[in-house]
Amino acid sequence: MANIIIIGTQWGDEGKGKVVDLLAEHADCVVRFQGGNNAGHTMVVDGKQIISHIIPSGILQGKTCIIGNGVVVDPLVLAEEIDYIRSMGIEINEDKLKISDKAHLIMPYHTKIDLAREESKGENKIGTTGRGIGPCYEDKAARRGIRFIDLLDPQEFEEKVKKALEEKNRYLEAFFSADTLDAESIINQYRELADKLAPYVTDTSVFLNQALKNNQQLLFEGAQGTHLDIEHGTYPFVTSSNTVAGNACCGSGVGPQAITGVIGIVKAYTTRVGRGPFPTELLDDIGDAIQEKGAEFGATTGRRRRCGWLDMVVLNNSARLNGLTGLAITKLDVLGGLDSLEICTGYELDGNTIQYFPSSLKKLEACRPVYETLPGWEEDISVVRAFDDLPQNAKNYLKRIEELSEIPIKIVSVGPGREETIVLENDFV
Ligand code: IMP
């Protein structure tokens, strides 16, 4: 029996959706445990592109998909996503989708505050996705959030919305000179959404622990990436939840002894959307070429992703924080055609070479990457299905990642399609 956590090791957009989709074949339940519709998972099945933002990617495999207590949910987005996925011919019913009754709701004022704050910050903005994620987690921590369990109780919901608006409307007016929100229209809109989503709402911790007792296999699908973690990431240029593996347990109500492995998803190069330090960023033609070939645009906001070389300081930081037991390397095909490739093996800081990730943003910004150069390959590797059939230089690149991280590579993705994958070891079989 295996219960695996999938985690992004960089700044998100590592291609987790595809790996989850692939491994979900052998799992019984796929669980989201943090984040919200700031995530965007792009999957390609039978040449059809499907992007999900909140429903776990396992839905494509017909698995039971869980939106855990640690997720923040915009019910409007979720209801629309259910319709969208159904329109792609994929079945969704209450056996296939379960939402934690403890998950917090993203309310219209969260989105409005997120956007107004970013707008007001000008140059100093974080570059959030503008989906209300941060303000929703703030209310959760301040113990004034509204949860699914409240949505199902019309009187409780009405009282909570009215109470929240007393404060939020004053804040919107005073700080941002923004329009205020009307309680009645929110209550009416959310009442309709409550009717639509109620069948899926349950205590998902109870459900998951029963599934474990029945020897079912769980796959935990992380969103964003380790370096966007609220505590361990490049604070304050981070998201508002814990994105590291430890939160899979907290955000789903499952004990840590159930976990049997943690797979870190590593894009063969590095990307980042939004602002914040990025030591190996390439502000040159190579960066542009990778961005173009890798179609590096955010799945949620459509923003152009910043691109750079693979950074082993970042990967090793992730290995430590998540207790990684295996790696999945994605988008290796994108690096084809480059004469040589650089791998960052350390940073130069104040005349010293360091192998760790400084906590101080100032220090991190002062770090200069130390590179090791490896020869590239010309061949199109998207047709390769076995490690031995890869060009020697591609094999060398992968072997070097294994050597520098001391973690085995279990999966290599050579294209967006499910079949464009080399599986060296599957933790589920
Ligand atoms: P928020 O999560 O919308 O508050 O945005 C905070 C930071 O996290 C910004 O830099 C976003 O671009 C980034 N971010 C949030 N979700 C994702 C994601 O799924 N992929 C990559 N970056 C993300």
Side-chain angles (χ1 to χ4, degrees):
M1 208 195 66
N3 298 302
I4 308 292
I5 304 173
I6 303 273
I7 288 293
T9 59
Q10 296 151 322
W11 278 281
D13 309 314
E14 295 91 352
K16 294 178 290 293
K18 168 175 164 171
V19 179
V20 171
D21 176 46
L22 194 82
L23 292 184
E25 188 185 342
H26 311 282
D28 298 289
C29 302
V30 183
V31 189
R32 277 235 11 219
F33 54 89
Q34 48 71 227
N37 59 307
N38 46 352
H41 290 160
T42 308
M43 293 148 288
V44 177
V45 183
D46 299 331
K48 251 191 330 193
Q49 192 186 70
I50 301 180
I51 300 180
S52 75
H53 295 285
I54 186 82
I55 298 177
S57 327
I59 202 77
L60 305 189
Q61 299 272 2
K63 303 296 167 166
T64 304
C65 287
I66 311 289
I67 297 176
N69 51 276
V71 180
V72 290
V73 182
D74 186 327
L76 184 62
V77 174
L78 177 58
E80 281 173 2
E81 193 161 297
I82 291 172
D83 291 343
Y84 159 71
I85 289 182
R86 278 202 184 120
S87 76
M88 305 299 273
I90 295 151
E91 196 193 343
I92 300 191
N93 57 39
E94 54 240 67
D95 292 328
K96 294 266 172 286
L97 178 66
K98 295 186 186 290
I99 308 164
S100 168
D101 53 7
K102 295 194 181 84
H104 280 245
L105 295 171
I106 296 178
M107 303 296 293
Y109 44 83
H110 291 138
T111 321
K112 209 169 160 108
I113 290 170
D114 194 0
L115 291 168
R117 268 194 202 145
E118 284 285 279
E119 182 74 31
S120 72
K121 280 185 183 154
E123 272 297 287
N124 296 321
K125 60 172 62 126
I126 303 284
T128 73
T129 58
R131 303 297 193 261
I133 307 295
C136 184
Y137 276 116
E138 276 169 42
D139 278 350
K140 175 177 176 173
R143 291 160 293 181
R144 59 178 176 229
I146 306 181
R147 302 181 297 168
F148 266 94
I149 194 72
D150 305 316
L151 182 65
L152 301 190
D153 179 337
Q155 200 186 334
E156 182 87 13
F157 184 72
E158 191 173 325
E159 280 167 20
K160 289 202 161 164
V161 171
K162 286 184 174 158
K163 179 101 191 101
L165 279 184
E166 278 173 23
E167 188 185 309
K168 303 298 178 193
N169 277 341
R170 277 206 222 172
Y171 180 63
L172 281 165
E173 256 183 332
F175 263 80
F176 307 112
S177 309
D179 296 338
T180 55
L181 291 162
D182 172 51
E184 285 313 317
S185 63
I186 295 179
I187 291 163
N188 290 336
Q189 185 192 27
Y190 275 58
R191 199 165 280 149
E192 272 179 40
L193 292 166
D195 291 342
K196 190 159 181 185
L197 298 176
Y200 308 105
V201 179
T202 187
D203 187 328
T204 47
S205 168
V206 170
F207 177 84
L208 286 171
N209 282 278
Q210 191 55 50
L212 286 171
K213 276 193 184 144
N214 296 342
N215 286 328
Q216 294 203 344
Q217 307 203 96
L218 311 184
L219 182 58
F220 296 86
E221 173 176 356
Q224 291 84 48
T226 299
H227 293 81
L228 288 172
D229 183 280
I230 182 86
E231 273 158 271
H232 301 288
T234 44
Y235 191 90
F237 298 101
V238 292
T239 191
S240 300
S241 62
N242 285 111
T243 58
V244 292
N247 194 27
C249 292
C250 184
S252 63
V254 164
Q257 85 292 353
I259 308 300
T260 58
V262 185
I263 305 282
I265 312 297
V266 187
K267 201 182 278 189
Y269 45 96
T270 312
T271 61
R272 173 163 203 174
V273 281
R275 296 188 59 242
F278 179 177
T280 63
E281 183 169 15
L282 284 166
L283 298 165
D284 59 8
D285 291 350
I286 299 181
D288 289 346
I290 292 175
Q291 196 271 332
E292 204 169 303
K293 191 166 175 200
E296 295 294 352
F297 292 96
T300 298
T301 56
R303 287 181 291 178
R304 197 174 187 276
R305 294 178 186 146
R306 300 154 66 193
C307 296
W309 295 120
L310 180 68
D311 186 338
M312 292 308 296
V313 183
V314 164
L315 177 49
N316 288 332
N317 200 36
S318 244
R320 174 174 49 80
L321 290 167
N322 296 299
L324 299 181
T325 56
L327 302 179
I329 310 293
T330 62
K331 293 192 136 178
L332 187 65
D333 53 304
V334 173
L335 294 181
L338 294 171
D339 291 340
S340 60
L341 306 170
E342 310 281 347
I343 297 184
C344 169
T345 55
Y347 299 148
E348 216 171 84
L349 180 67
D350 303 330
N352 298 314
T353 304
I354 57 168
Q355 249 83 35
Y356 66 89
F357 206 76
S359 304
S360 148
L361 271 205
K362 266 194 199 149
K363 285 200 169 159
L364 184 56
E365 266 155 10
C367 283
R368 295 290 157 258
V370 177
Y371 286 120
E372 183 175 303
T373 307
L374 276 79
W377 59 91
E378 273 303 321
E379 297 88 332
D380 169 19
I381 60 166
S382 62
V383 290
V384 175
R385 297 291 173 266
F387 183 84
D388 288 343
D389 297 338
L390 284 168
Q392 190 56 45
N393 287 347
K395 283 192 234 176
N396 292 344
Y397 188 70
L398 296 173
K399 284 195 180 134
R400 193 67 188 128
I401 297 173
E402 274 191 330
E403 274 166 17
L404 291 167
S405 66
E406 299 177 11
I407 301 173
I409 293 175
K410 300 197 170 183
I411 293 171
V412 181
S413 170
V414 292
R418 200 182 262 169
E419 67 295 345
E420 291 169 310
T421 314
I422 300 167
V423 180
L424 294 138
E425 193 184 329
N426 187 335
D427 281 7
F428 274 120
V429 287

